[in-house]
Amino acid sequence: MSTKIVERHEVPVNDTWDLESIFKSDTEWEQSATTFKEQVSEIDGFRNKLSESAETLYLALSKQLELQEKLGQIFTYAHMRHDQDTGNSYYSALQDKAYGLVSLFEQRASYITPELLAMDPATLDRFVTEHKDLQLFSHLFDQLRKQREHILSEREEELLARAKEALNTSSQAYGALNNADLAFPSIKNEKGEEVQITHGRFVSLLQSEDRDVRKAAFEAVYATYEQYKNTFAATLSGQVKSDIFNAQSRNYASAREAALSETHIPVGVYDQLISTVEDHLPLLHRYVKLRKKCLGVDELHMYDLYTPIIKDVEFQVSYEEAKQKVIEAVKPLGEEYVERLTQGFEDRWVDIHENKGKRSGAYSSGAYGTKPFILMNWQDDVDNLFTLAHEFGHSMHSDYTRRTQPYLYGDYTIFVAEVASTLNESLLHHHMIQTLEEKEKKLYILNYFLEGFRGTVFRQTMFAEFEQMIHEKVEGGGALTAEELTQMYYELNVKYYGPDMVVDKEIGFEWARIPHFYYNFYVFQYATGYSAAAALSKQILEEGQPAVDRFIDFLKTGSSDYPIQMLKKAGVDMTTSEPVEQAMKLFETTLDQIEQLIND
């Protein structure tokens, strides 16, 4: 692990993402943003005219899509430039300008949905019959009908659009504090060297075999968050209030119902996930007990959760090695998939290295008409190997969708987003288990799977339960203080991890570290997506080409169908508990495997 954090300008160009493929320069972006600001008024010419004729309606919707596509590229460039160096004030300003353009566009186009809903359904159906090109919008019209009772008047829609930028302030403030302003102290690593803790290094430090290093990193990070607990409580409270304001404004019973309705997911799917996972918490408790035994400790602490339970295994993975392992792992998905993924490595989809001010974590991004970019903060370990496979799953999903669907349906909902990414991880796990010969490394990967399952299914479901609790508290008239947030979060950890875990008081402050609590009921989809991916990867490995064809069709569907239906066609029914039950069976089987290998 390097002890020096490089500046952005020190990163080799070939190791950065190719944002110049969107705009050749910042100057070109500025010109495009200025042009867009002038062109956005063109949408005004269709106000109060959508019901005049099929041709007018088609021209209005086409203009809306044209502007949205341009805006997507403008926004993508700005937010990714900002994320590569959040301390760069010029790119912070660029991102602010992009948010402003989004708000401006939404204000100008806010009349379209209310006018569509005000039209006589018979007239709309007649227009679609008369104008062949309007048939493209049939699925969109069907979605609008389902949302009819939650769409407001033109004036109210415009006011909500104007308020959006202000309502995003809590999330933006959190991002600035967490990524740019928050500084963690230095600790001594295994070699006695002073190493500054960063977001990117934190998990690597928790994976250290030296317990003193793990404990020091854990305590230093959460002591830092504790110092700012009241500020973080204020930003999270502001986000929750924003979610509730939007939900109540649109006549939803709760913020959760509003969030799930955007992708037409029944609330019962959320409740069923939590209840099914809670029914299987004894499996997590069994894993915790196994971890305690393998580590040989009298007490298992929260900072012991990430270190491998298989000792004396040197398992570093360079970025170049990771590329090859990912390519090999996805071969069951066919030649075209492998070729496109390989091309992604060559065409600079990936921004590889951590640098000073860079946004923490990893993600896949981009827009229609751009490359499906990936942000990494590379560390030479197995975790980053699987993260790379995960993010390429997202990017390949985007690539297939954008090459197949028109712009209108050239994206996919967050409910299905985690399926393609997690399926790649599942295939990588299978490949590693099949090809590794050393017992210790095989045990390491089995443990990595168990730990990944813990983090993706059990932990994300715990996050989902916490998110539901804090929204319900505010919806019930309560306030979110730092003390109350910490207590609620601490008690959930006690329930989930069971009697063999010492739940350190510091973990109570972890709520302040999790950016996904600002994503409006996003996290539950990691767990549902993982469960769906586990079932689909099993089908691909056992059935072969028919299952592959179903999965590739799923990647190509974009948002041209409802997510529940898309997954049914791919081979899983998320309206039942069966996928989660299957995932739990896989966790139990892997527990059996690792216990048997340990005892051999």
Side-chain angles (χ1 to χ4, degrees):
M1 182 187 297
S2 171
T3 58
K4 180 180 181 293
I5 308 173
V6 300
E7 300 284 343
R8 180 66 186 182
H9 66 85
E10 297 177 293
V11 181
V13 172
N14 285 339
D15 292 344
T16 64
W17 44 25
D18 182 22
L19 299 189
E20 293 80 12
S21 63
I22 310 176
F23 295 103
K24 294 178 182 178
S25 65
D26 298 337
T27 300
E28 187 178 12
W29 183 93
E30 295 274 12
Q31 292 169 346
S32 181
T34 299
T35 300
F36 179 85
K37 194 171 184 178
E38 295 168 352
Q39 292 177 334
V40 75
S41 61
E42 295 174 9
I43 200 72
D44 292 341
F46 300 97
R47 188 184 294 269
N48 298 321
K49 297 180 180 179
L50 299 190
S51 60
E52 286 184 355
S53 68
E55 177 67 11
T56 300
L57 178 59
Y58 174 72
L59 291 174
L61 294 179
S62 297
K63 176 58 67 175
Q64 181 187 30
L65 295 182
E66 175 193 330
L67 291 170
Q68 282 178 322
E69 186 173 349
K70 290 179 181 178
L71 180 59
Q73 295 176 12
I74 289 169
F75 182 83
T76 293
Y77 181 90
H79 98 77
M80 294 176 71
R81 283 295 189 203
H82 171 261
D83 285 355
Q84 72 185 32
D85 186 358
T86 59
N88 185 311
S89 59
Y90 174 77
Y91 288 133
S92 293
L94 230 62
Q95 180 172 258
D96 287 344
K97 289 180 184 177
Y99 274 117
L101 291 177
V102 170
S103 179
L104 175 63
F105 171 77
E106 290 182 348
Q107 291 172 39
R108 292 298 183 97
S110 62
Y111 71 88
I112 292 178
T113 298
E115 278 196 40
L116 282 172
L117 290 174
M119 288 177 64
D120 182 350
T123 301
L124 187 57
D125 290 341
R126 177 168 55 82
F127 282 178
V128 172
T129 302
E130 291 175 357
H131 201 300
K132 185 177 69 172
D133 290 335
L134 270 179
Q135 292 173 11
L136 170 68
F137 299 90
S138 294
H139 181 58
L140 171 67
F141 295 155
D142 187 58
Q143 290 175 294
L144 285 175
R145 289 189 184 100
K146 294 178 185 295
Q147 295 288 326
R148 182 178 295 272
E149 64 182 298
H150 304 293
I151 303 300
L152 308 179
S153 68
E154 178 184 332
R155 176 59 177 161
E156 289 169 328
E157 288 290 342
E158 184 179 349
L159 285 172
L160 281 183
R162 288 178 181 274
K164 187 171 184 178
E165 193 171 1
L167 292 171
N168 282 334
T169 301
S170 291
S171 177
Q172 292 179 44
Y174 171 81
L177 175 59
N178 197 44
N179 293 311
D181 295 340
L182 202 68
F184 301 113
S186 296
I187 63 168
K188 289 187 177 181
N189 64 13
E190 300 88 340
K191 299 177 182 178
E193 301 168 327
E194 287 287 328
V195 177
Q196 184 182 348
I197 303 172
T198 65
H199 288 291
R201 291 173 176 167
F202 182 44
V203 172
S204 293
L205 290 167
L206 289 180
Q207 291 170 340
S208 171
E209 291 189 9
D210 189 326
R211 202 179 194 199
D212 290 336
V213 172
R214 302 198 301 265
K215 186 173 186 290
F218 179 84
E219 292 178 348
V221 163
Y222 290 117
T224 304
Y225 279 103
E226 184 178 9
Q227 291 177 35
Y228 300 95
K229 63 182 181 181
N230 293 313
T231 303
F232 281 115
T235 59
L236 183 54
S237 178
Q239 180 63 44
V240 170
K241 289 176 182 176
S242 174
D243 295 341
I244 294 170
F245 170 80
N246 283 314
Q248 291 178 342
S249 297
R250 295 193 177 280
N251 305 310
Y252 285 100
S254 68
R256 185 177 61 149
E257 182 189 5
L260 270 60
S261 75
E262 291 182 8
T263 47
H264 305 277
I265 306 301
V267 172
V269 172
Y270 198 104
D271 292 330
Q272 187 170 250
L273 169 69
I274 293 175
S275 63
T276 305
V277 169
E278 287 195 344
D279 287 344
H280 290 82
L281 284 180
L283 285 175
L284 178 57
H285 300 166
R286 178 181 160 192
Y287 169 63
V288 167
K289 190 172 184 177
L290 173 67
R291 173 169 279 275
K292 180 180 178 181
K293 174 185 175 182
C294 290
L295 291 179
V297 294
D298 294 330
E299 292 182 339
L300 189 75
H301 287 260
M302 299 301 293
Y303 50 79
D304 295 320
L305 272 175
Y306 291 87
T307 188
I309 60 176
I310 310 304
K311 294 298 181 184
D312 302 320
V313 179
E314 186 70 22
F315 210 151
Q316 289 192 320
V317 184
S318 70
Y319 182 72
E320 289 302 315
E321 291 172 328
K323 286 166 58 175
Q324 294 308 311
K325 290 183 186 297
V326 171
I327 290 169
E328 287 294 321
V330 300
K331 283 186 175 179
L333 295 177
E335 289 184 12
E336 182 191 26
Y337 191 99
V338 172
E339 288 174 5
R340 290 296 299 175
L341 185 144
T342 303
Q343 192 67 38
F345 282 118
E346 297 171 357
D347 285 353
R348 290 176 55 202
W349 288 7
V350 189
D351 199 82
I352 303 167
H353 302 295
E354 183 178 19
N355 58 255
K356 187 175 181 181
K358 187 175 179 181
R359 184 194 187 277
S360 63
Y363 64 60
S364 170
S365 187
Y368 199 90
T370 79
K371 298 175 181 180
F373 295 105
I374 294 171
L375 179 139
M376 293 288 297
N377 283 276
W378 187 262
Q379 308 289 324
D380 289 340
D381 55 35
V382 170
D383 184 62
N384 275 255
L385 164 63
F386 276 85
T387 299
L388 186 66
H390 180 100
E391 299 305 338
F392 254 101
H394 283 311
S395 287
M396 291 298 294
H397 193 178
S398 298
D399 183 61
Y400 270 99
T401 291
R402 293 167 188 164
R403 285 190 295 119
T404 306
Q405 295 293 333
Y407 173 77
L408 178 61
Y409 304 122
D411 201 355
Y412 43 84
T413 67
I414 58 176
F415 187 76
V416 300
E418 294 305 319
V419 176
S421 56
T422 310
L423 184 135
N424 268 15
E425 287 192 76
S426 183
L427 292 177
L428 177 60
H429 171 77
H430 176 79
H431 172 71
M432 299 282 279
I433 291 299
Q434 294 298 312
T435 57
L436 286 171
E437 296 181 358
E438 299 173 54
K439 174 183 174 181
E440 290 76 14
K441 286 192 173 182
K442 188 170 290 192
L443 282 168
Y444 186 100
I445 293 298
L446 287 170
N447 173 62
Y448 184 86
F449 170 82
L450 292 172
E451 184 54 28
F453 193 105
R454 177 194 72 82
T456 307
V457 180
F458 287 112
R459 189 166 182 253
Q460 299 296 336
T461 301
M462 184 183 77
F463 286 173
E465 191 167 353
F466 178 73
E467 193 169 8
Q468 183 178 344
M469 288 167 64
I470 60 178
H471 281 80
E472 286 179 347
K473 183 165 185 62
V474 177
E475 286 168 337
L480 296 178
T481 64
E483 289 73 18
E484 197 146 9
L485 287 165
T486 303
Q487 184 64 25
M488 282 192 289
Y489 194 82
Y490 180 85
E491 289 175 357
L492 276 175
N493 275 270
V494 171
K495 178 173 73 172
Y496 270 71
Y497 287 103
D500 285 289
M501 174 68 76
V502 175
V503 181
D504 304 277
K505 65 179 180 61
E506 289 89 352
I507 200 64
F509 297 104
E510 189 181 40
W511 59 266
R513 192 173 73 87
I514 309 301
H516 293 80
F517 293 149
Y518 295 79
Y519 293 3
N520 194 17
F521 290 96
Y522 182 100
V523 292
F524 87 100
Q525 291 156 122
Y526 285 113
T528 55
Y530 190 103
S531 301
L536 291 175
S537 63
K538 185 173 183 290
Q539 293 171 19
I540 286 166
L541 293 170
E542 292 179 355
E543 295 180 32
Q545 197 60 45
V548 172
D549 291 342
R550 291 197 304 270
F551 179 68
I552 297 299
D553 286 343
F554 162 77
L555 296 182
K556 292 178 178 179
T557 304
S559 58
S560 62
D561 199 354
Y562 294 108
I564 291 291
Q565 291 303 118
M566 289 166 58
L567 287 173
K568 280 184 180 179
K569 292 174 184 177
V572 289
D573 186 355
M574 297 307 298
T575 62
T576 72
S577 64
E578 186 178 354
V580 182
E581 296 278 0
Q582 288 180 352
M584 289 297 170
K585 184 62 179 176
L586 179 60
F587 185 79
E588 185 176 18
T589 300
T590 309
L591 266 176
D592 293 339
Q593 288 178 305
I594 197 169
E595 287 172 345
Q596 183 176 348
L597 274 174
I598 287 171
N599 293 328
D600 282 347

